[in-house]
């Protein structure tokens, strides 16, 4: 007992200096007298921010969100890559094909197309040697034989399916975009591997229909039905192709008819102008008159009434008025009656009785146009010409007509 007491006293004496180092007034006991729980706080030097923790997590394949900043030294990634390319070409391709099929189920067509492309690339790569199953047994001691014929048949089947499935992806992706230029070639490659692939015929026909290659679409649909006459999808597609063909033929027929009719109208108009001795001229600087143009009341009858666009120019005030349809038997005064007086004519110079009309001649001069003469008589005199389908008439106050003529001559003389 004495020894035990001595030992307890020794321990107490050793712990006493530690207690003295504690903050005065601090207590090591809780309110109920029990000892406090041990602290589990991490030293500040070892704490990490949320961004640092997230960055560490992204290095783990399970939590990766992007392959853009992939660490080439990441052993886990390299291991996954190695697994993806382990086995024979057929096994590697089948693995990518399966992943593509999974993406198709969820309509992830861009990703699926990428997997099918990888499968096709794997089939075109070098033959992978088949390693023995027992790691302890050296390759020299155990040879794994591969049935080349069976392997080739398997590769051909996978390649055919991948081309056909990649065509499906291209087809689905082209529904919301322009027709994909890789769609038809993929179908063709699949059909070269197996001409009886009905899916490939269907997708080839769909691709051709999308870009209005109707003969090719018809041929593809009919070829597919030869191998599977009861295929409902192909029958429906063939019906669509035939309807589209009929629509395009009708549209083309209407277009040709419009072109022929436009030619006939143009010829008829030229005949009408020539018969009336009306000269015309076209320049590079034709004005935009929208739908206003020289026309016949009956476009196919040269004897029907001619109508012209006419512009009344007021050169002394840099103003103008446009008459869209001026019939050949109407006079200038008939239109000036409702145009005059002019809102900007503060001096009241422009009245029907106080104005004169002039037209420029073919030779570059001026002729006085009678206000009460029909337009046909003015145009058919052989002295004036209609430039760019527009008749121009200058309207000048009588009191200033001499000055206008002199100014016109000077301007022409300078040219």
């Amino acid at each position: 007992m004495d020894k035990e007491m001595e030992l307890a006293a020794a321990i107490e004496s050793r712990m006493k200096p530690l207690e003295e180092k504690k903050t005065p007034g601090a207590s090591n006991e809780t309110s109920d007298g029990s000892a406090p729980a041990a602290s589990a706080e991490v030293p500040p030097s070892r704490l990490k921010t949320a961004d640092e923790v997230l960055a560490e997590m992204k290095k783990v394949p399970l939590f990766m969100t992007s392959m853009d900043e992939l660490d080439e030294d990441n052993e886990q990634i390299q291991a996954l890559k190695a697994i993806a390319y382990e086995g024979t070409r057929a096994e590697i391709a089948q693995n990518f094909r399966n992943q593509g099929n999974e993406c198709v189920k969820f309509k992830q067509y861009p990703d699926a197309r990428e997997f099918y492309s990888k499968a096709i690339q794997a089939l075109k790569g070098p033959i992978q040697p088949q390693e023995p199953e027992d790691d302890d047994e050296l390759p020299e001691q155990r040879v794994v034989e591969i049935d080349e014929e069976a392997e080739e048949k398997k590769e051909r089947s996978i390649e055919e399916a991948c081309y056909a499935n990649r065509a499906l992806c291209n087809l689905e992706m082209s529904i919301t975009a322009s027709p994909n230029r890789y769609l038809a070639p993929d179908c063709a490659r699949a059909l070269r591997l197996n001409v009886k692939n009905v899916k490939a015929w269907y997708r080839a026909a769909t691709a051709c229909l999308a870009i209005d290659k109707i003969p090719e679409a018809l041929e593809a649909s009919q070829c597919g039905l030869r191998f599977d006459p009861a295929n409902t999808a192909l029958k429906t597609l063939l019906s669509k192709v035939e309807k589209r063909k009929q629509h395009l033929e009708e549209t083309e027929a209407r277009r040709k008819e419009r072109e022929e009719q436009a030619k006939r109208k143009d010829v008829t108009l030229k005949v009408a102008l020539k018969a009336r001795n009306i000269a015309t001229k076209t320049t590079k600087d034709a004005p935009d008159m929208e739908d206003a143009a020289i026309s016949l009341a009956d476009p196919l009858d040269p004897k029907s009434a001619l109508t012209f666009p006419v512009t009344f120019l007021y050169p002394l005030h840099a103003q103008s008025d446009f008459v869209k349809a001026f019939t050949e038997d109407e006079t200038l005064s008939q239109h000036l009656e409702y145009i005059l007086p002019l809102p900007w004519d503060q001096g009241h110079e422009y009245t029907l009785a106080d104005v004169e009309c002039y037209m420029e001649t073919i030779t570059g001069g001026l002729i006085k146009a009678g206000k009460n003469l029909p337009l046909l008589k003015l145009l058919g005199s052989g002295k004036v010409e209609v430039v760019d389908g527009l008749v121009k008439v200058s309207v000048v106050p009588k009191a200033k007509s001499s000055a206008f003529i002199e100014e016109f001559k000077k301007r022409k003389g300078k040219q």
Side-chain angles (χ1 to χ4, degrees):
M1 179 65 70
D2 294 337
K3 290 182 179 180
E4 292 174 355
M5 293 295 291
E6 290 177 2
L7 180 59
I11 293 173
E12 183 179 1
S13 64
R14 291 179 182 177
M15 293 296 293
K16 192 172 184 180
L18 296 176
E19 293 177 358
E20 292 176 353
K21 291 181 180 179
K22 293 181 181 180
T23 305
S27 175
N28 291 333
E29 295 183 356
T30 60
S31 58
D32 59 356
S34 61
S39 174
E41 293 182 359
V42 180
S45 60
R46 296 175 59 188
L47 289 175
K48 292 185 178 181
T49 65
D51 292 338
E52 289 174 338
V53 173
L54 185 60
E56 289 291 333
M57 291 178 65
K58 285 185 177 180
K59 293 180 181 180
V60 180
L62 180 62
F63 300 103
M64 281 186 175
T65 58
S66 173
M67 299 289 285
D68 296 336
E69 300 179 358
L70 188 62
D71 185 4
E72 295 183 357
D73 297 330
N74 191 315
E75 294 181 358
Q76 296 178 347
I77 293 298
Q78 298 304 323
L80 290 175
K81 284 185 175 180
I83 291 173
Y85 287 92
E86 276 188 354
T88 63
R89 291 192 307 192
E91 290 171 345
I92 296 170
Q94 184 62 41
N95 177 41
F96 285 125
R97 177 190 173 188
N98 292 339
Q99 293 180 72
N101 292 344
E102 287 298 318
C103 290
V104 168
K105 289 180 182 178
F106 296 99
K107 298 184 178 181
Q108 298 170 346
Y109 298 111
D111 294 335
R113 182 175 65 176
E114 183 67 22
F115 282 122
Y116 292 135
S117 297
K118 287 183 177 180
I120 294 168
Q121 290 173 1
L123 292 172
K124 298 182 183 299
I127 298 176
Q128 299 291 333
Q130 187 77 300
E131 295 183 359
E133 296 179 0
D134 188 0
D135 294 339
D136 297 330
E137 189 174 2
L138 296 176
E140 295 82 6
Q141 297 173 333
R142 182 169 180 266
V143 178
V144 178
E145 294 184 359
I146 298 177
D147 188 341
E148 293 185 1
E149 185 177 347
E151 193 71 12
E152 183 179 353
K153 185 177 180 181
K154 188 187 297 183
E155 289 180 5
R156 189 180 181 89
S157 174
I158 295 171
E159 185 178 8
E160 173 198 343
C162 286
Y163 276 126
N165 291 347
R166 192 169 72 174
L168 169 66
C169 296
N170 289 326
L171 177 62
E172 293 294 337
M173 291 168 65
S174 69
I175 291 175
T176 55
S178 58
N180 196 302
R181 62 190 180 95
Y182 298 110
L183 178 52
D186 279 347
C187 294
R189 294 186 185 102
L191 291 170
R192 278 199 294 269
L193 294 167
N194 180 13
V195 74
K196 296 182 180 181
N197 190 321
V198 177
K199 289 183 179 179
W201 283 118
Y202 175 84
R203 289 161 190 170
T206 305
C208 293
L209 176 61
I211 54 178
D212 278 340
K213 289 189 175 182
I214 302 303
E216 292 84 350
L218 276 173
E219 184 179 359
S221 302
Q222 292 165 353
C223 286
L225 286 171
R226 279 201 291 270
F227 296 112
D228 187 2
N231 192 295
T232 305
L234 270 173
K235 287 181 179 179
T236 304
L237 181 60
L238 179 59
S239 176
K240 289 181 180 179
V241 173
E242 290 173 343
K243 288 180 180 178
R244 181 62 178 170
K245 179 185 178 184
Q246 182 180 356
H247 171 74
L248 291 177
E249 288 175 348
E250 291 174 353
T251 302
E252 180 65 14
R254 288 194 295 269
R255 185 190 65 81
K256 288 183 177 179
E257 176 60 26
R258 285 195 301 270
E259 289 181 353
E260 290 297 326
Q261 190 171 16
K263 288 179 181 178
R264 290 196 296 269
K265 288 180 180 180
D266 187 55
V267 170
T268 304
L269 181 60
K270 288 179 179 178
V271 170
L273 291 170
K274 187 175 181 180
R276 291 166 171 80
N277 195 34
I278 299 175
T280 59
K281 178 183 176 182
T282 303
T283 68
K284 295 180 180 179
D285 302 320
D288 182 12
M289 298 187 292
E290 297 181 352
D291 59 340
I294 303 173
S295 61
L296 286 163
D298 182 353
L300 300 178
D301 182 7
K303 295 182 179 180
S304 61
L306 269 172
T307 301
F308 297 84
V310 175
T311 181
F312 287 103
L313 303 173
Y314 311 102
L316 300 183
H317 292 82
Q319 299 287 342
S320 65
D321 283 308
F322 180 69
V323 179
K324 187 175 181 180
F326 197 126
T327 309
E328 61 181 349
D329 57 357
E330 293 177 331
T331 64
L332 298 179
S333 60
Q334 284 179 275
H335 288 276
L336 288 173
E337 280 179 354
Y338 65 81
I339 293 175
L340 303 178
L342 301 167
W344 45 263
D345 180 20
Q346 301 297 326
H348 304 288
E349 298 177 285
Y350 291 86
T351 63
L352 186 58
D354 296 328
V355 295
E356 290 182 346
C357 298
Y358 295 89
M359 298 178 72
E360 191 170 344
T361 64
I362 296 175
T363 58
L366 279 177
I367 63 166
K368 186 176 180 180
K371 291 181 289 185
N372 296 318
L373 290 177
L375 183 62
L376 176 58
K377 192 167 185 178
L378 295 171
L379 298 178
S381 63
K383 295 180 180 180
V384 299
E385 64 182 351
V386 181
V387 181
D388 294 326
L390 179 64
V391 178
K392 297 179 181 179
V393 180
S394 296
V395 182
V396 182
K398 286 181 180 179
K400 297 180 179 180
S401 59
S402 298
F404 165 71
I405 294 171
E406 290 299 322
E407 180 63 26
F408 180 84
K409 289 179 179 179
K410 288 180 182 179
R411 189 169 67 252
K412 288 294 181 178
K414 289 180 181 179
Q415 293 178 350

